[in-house]
Structures are given as C-alpha cells and as structure tokens.
Amino acid sequence: MRVMADVVKAVLPWEDPDSFLGGLPARVDAEYYAGGDLPASLDEVEFYVPSYMGSSEVVEVIARMPALKVVQTQTAGFENLLPHLRDGVTLCNARGVHDASTAELAVGLILSTYRRLPRAVTNQERGEWPTSYAELDDSLADRTVLILGYGSIGEALERRLDGFECDIIRVARRAREGVHPISALPDLLPRADVVVLLTPATDETRGMVDAKFLAQLKDGALLVNVARGVVVDTDALLAELSTERISAALDVTDPEPLPAGHPLWSAPNVLINPHRGGASTAFAPRVARLVRAQLERYAKGEPLINVVAGPPR
C-alpha cells in the first residue's frame, strides 16, 4: 500500500486533465502524453492512462516507465497491453464505460439490417421513392437473440432489447443462473435468429466463429460482431456470406482497419461500421469518472476496481 503523503505522478492522454476529469484528486500531479514528445517525468510515473485507440507507441512507452504501478485503459479490451506489462504492474480496464454505447450500436446494427436502412440511404442518394419492394422488411419482434459473451455489456444490451418483444439466450464462458455455458453453443446456435458477439479476444475465442460455428446458424440468421475482429474467421465468414444464406453486421473486422479492396467490402448481406462501438457522447463523461475515481483510490491507498491483470492494489 502506498504512503498517502506521496505525490502520485500520472501521465494522462488529455491536454487539460484537470478540466476533463473535473479536477485532479489531491496528491496527484499529471502530465500529458498521447504520442510524440515524451513526458519529462517518465522515470517517476506511477499511474498511466494510454490514449484511446492510440498508436503502438502509447503502449510501447510502458517499458520506459520504471516506477510504473498502474495502467488504466479506456477500453474494455486489454489483450494488446498484456505483452508490455512487467511483474508488479496492475492493469485495470474500463469495464462499464462502453456498455451504453456498444449496446446501443448492437441494437442499431440489428435494426439497420432487419429494416434495410442501407437500402433507404441508397434510394435517398438517388432521389428514388420505390412504390413497392419484392419482400417485406424483417422485424425484431418474435425473434430470438443469442448474446455470446454475456457480461456487463450483454446486460446493457438485454435491457435495451426489452420491449422489442424478442427472446434472449444468454451465453458466457461459464454457466450461471440464467446463463448457458459456451459448451452449449451447438444446441443453442440453431435456435438463434440473431447472434451478437461480445466476447473478449483471448486464445480461447480467437477464430471461435469458424466454418463449423457458422454452419450451425439457421438460414436467414444475422451475425453481429461488436467484440473483436479476430473472434471471427474472416475467410469462413466470406464463404458463408457468398451463399447469401446468412447476414452479418460488423463493427470490427480482421484485418482492421479493413483495407480498400478487401472482399468483405463487396460481400453480399453485410453491413460494415468502422469500429465505432464506444465512440459516442456517452464515452467521455464515463471514462472521466472512472479515471478520476481510480486516481483518487490509488492516491489514498484504497483498492482499485476493474483489475484484470497483475497484483491487486
């Protein structure tokens, strides 16, 4: 436990952290870094917040902070940071910060696909008002939505789906009351009209949505990925999309960014959003509250929350 009289040297990714955080906690001295020129107090930094979706340099600088004790991410995912942590450094993620934004986007992707909103955008650009369509739009009512990776974002998604008159199947790594284990997927996938991916990127989940997984989906099913691109085998997804048997709505892809000319851009039945799950007006106030609270806890020697790696503090 740290001595409360000490001044905590922090490096934060906001040029005016006092304003962004609504005031720095007592005994916290902050410098700005979001890439480029390194902060002067690099050797003294104890608490570091990398910039959101920053370049590799904002992660690699961790190795140049010998006094570092805490890394606080602005993302729920943290797998990219693990190789850069040394013994004794605590890693905390931003669990809860992105729940609202990501859940909202997942609902938006489902509804945009089901109600064919991209078609409406195209018609508007052309100035066309079709008098009829060959088929009716799909409705979320009476459908079954399987949430794979049922944690805090999954709970937020279910709350937002409440009222759409759809059924929910909850799946997580381990079974708990009301939540199925991931091992039950072969029995559950054929029941789902929509599968929403919310899993972290781990050795266990990397490439989990492969040809076998996709083949278990019913005809007309919709796959929504608001997790990480590497959870889905892109080649397997392209093969399945080419048959037009299923649809996909992707906030994340593998590779990412998706390069120009990649076959996913022109694949049938796919809606692509350029990784904007957490990028909404809900983000800044929530991450500010989290970071300020964590700094205050650390400065007072109180336990941190959202610890995902390293020793508890």
Side-chain angles (χ1 to χ4, degrees), residues 192-206:
D193 297 292
V194 181
V195 175
V196 181
L197 304 177
L198 288 171
T199 60
T202 65
D203 290 340
E204 184 180 8
T205 63
R206 191 176 301 270

Side-chain angles (χ1 to χ4, degrees), residues 150 170-184 188:
Y150 191 82
R170 310 171 194 88
V171 181
R173 184 179 180 185
R174 297 183 181 88
R176 57 185 189 272
E177 186 176 357
V179 181
H180 299 275
I182 206 166
S183 59
L188 299 174

Side-chain angles (χ1 to χ4, degrees), residues 55-259:
S55 63
S56 59
E57 66 178 319
V58 302
V59 175
E60 293 165 358
V61 75
I62 290 172
R64 304 178 65 177
M65 298 178 175
L68 187 65
K69 297 294 188 292
V70 179
V71 176
Q72 170 66 61
T73 74
Q74 299 184 68
T75 58
F78 54 86
E79 61 278 355
N80 64 313
L81 291 160
L82 292 175
H84 300 273
L85 298 181
R86 62 179 177 278
D87 290 345
V89 177
T90 298
L91 177 64
C92 303
N93 77 341
R95 176 183 170 88
V97 165
H98 299 281
D99 292 5
S101 293
T102 305
E104 286 175 357
L105 180 63
V107 173
L109 291 172
I110 295 169
L111 294 177
S112 293
T113 301
Y114 268 15
R115 302 310 302 261
R116 296 173 172 85
L117 295 186
R119 178 183 62 186
V121 172
T122 300
N123 288 339
Q124 181 176 349
E125 290 173 344
R126 294 173 177 171
E128 296 177 355
W129 186 294
T131 56
S132 64
Y133 290 108
E135 55 187 0
L136 295 173
D137 289 349
D138 293 313
S139 175
L140 184 50
D142 306 323
R143 300 301 181 102
T144 297
V145 179
L146 186 152
I147 301 174
L148 178 52
Y150 191 82
S152 63
I153 299 178
E155 292 171 359
L157 174 58
E158 182 172 3
R159 288 195 298 272
R160 283 154 180 80
L161 290 174
D162 184 31
F164 280 97
E165 302 176 34
C166 57
D167 296 320
I168 305 295
I169 299 174
R170 310 171 194 88
V171 181
R173 184 179 180 185
R174 297 183 181 88
R176 57 185 189 272
E177 186 176 357
V179 181
H180 299 275
I182 206 166
S183 59
L185 280 176
D187 294 326
L188 299 174
L189 287 174
R191 294 168 47 190
D193 297 292
V194 181
V195 175
V196 181
L197 304 177
L198 288 171
T199 60
T202 65
D203 290 340
E204 184 180 8
T205 63
R206 191 176 301 270
M208 176 178 65
V209 181
D210 55 11
K212 181 179 178 181
F213 182 109
L214 295 169
Q216 295 175 85
L217 298 178
K218 64 169 64 174
D219 290 354
L222 170 62
L223 178 74
V224 178
N225 191 1
V226 287
R228 287 291 184 265
V230 295
V231 173
V232 177
D233 181 327
T234 300
D235 289 339
L237 178 60
L238 281 167
E240 196 66 65
L241 289 172
S242 69
T243 69
E244 302 190 37
R245 191 182 70 83
I246 67 168
S247 300
L250 311 174
D251 183 52
V252 289
T253 61
D254 182 28
E256 189 177 305
L258 195 62

